[in-house]
Amino acid sequence: MPPRRLVLIPLALALSAASCSSSKHSEPPPTTAPLTKASYITAANAICRTLNDKVGALGQPPADDMTKAAELNDETKTLTADALERLRALPAEPSEAATVSAIYDKVDRVVTDAGPLSTALRAGDAQAVATAQSKLE
């Protein structure tokens, strides 16, 4: 089974879709006080935009190179986990805390599920790759 771009996309998309909207500011404000919802979205968007740029810069693996696909998946996993850590450092309004926490928990599961995909890719196990990918879709 040739690796697909889909291998790399779910991690970044899960984080972007879950935590980001359409604001255009570049970096989160340095603060420990709860951010307003608008400020939180602005800061989260900056983090997600950086993640998306970094993941996009990784490129695509050659269609027949499962080892390279595994490496790119691992890098995407690391970038996503780092972005999630930065997002978790943003103090959300108390009224939004449960929603934000649920989103982050979902992204944690995606990051965790990315590990078996890399393992399957390295092993060249097409069935395990398909199974792992289905968990990420």
Side-chain angles (χ1 to χ4, degrees):
M1 165 186 250
R4 304 179 310 198
R5 181 71 177 148
L6 185 59
V7 169
L8 303 176
I9 293 174
L11 294 172
L13 286 182
L15 188 59
S16 295
S19 305
C20 304
S21 72
S22 62
S23 179
K24 295 185 179 184
H25 294 271
S26 62
E27 283 299 316
T31 183
T32 56
L35 299 172
T36 64
K37 185 173 182 176
S39 294
Y40 177 88
I41 290 170
T42 297
N45 284 341
I47 293 167
C48 294
R49 201 170 16 266
T50 299
L51 170 64
N52 291 337
D53 291 347
K54 289 179 179 180
V55 170
L58 294 175
Q60 295 184 29
D64 60 347
D65 191 343
M66 293 180 94
T67 300
K68 181 65 174 175
E71 291 169 7
L72 292 176
N73 189 65
D74 288 341
E75 183 63 23
T76 301
K77 177 182 172 181
T78 298
L79 291 169
T80 302
D82 291 346
L84 182 57
E85 184 177 333
R86 290 186 65 211
L87 286 165
R88 280 196 161 120
L90 297 175
E93 286 183 337
S95 63
E96 299 293 327
T99 299
V100 169
S101 181
I103 292 166
Y104 293 163
D105 289 346
K106 180 178 180 180
V107 177
D108 272 332
R109 286 188 301 277
V110 171
V111 169
T112 298
D113 289 343
L117 176 57
S118 292
T119 300
L121 286 164
R122 283 191 180 83
D125 184 339
Q127 181 59 42
V129 168
T131 299
Q133 281 181 328
S134 70
K135 285 184 139 185
L136 292 172
E137 294 175 352

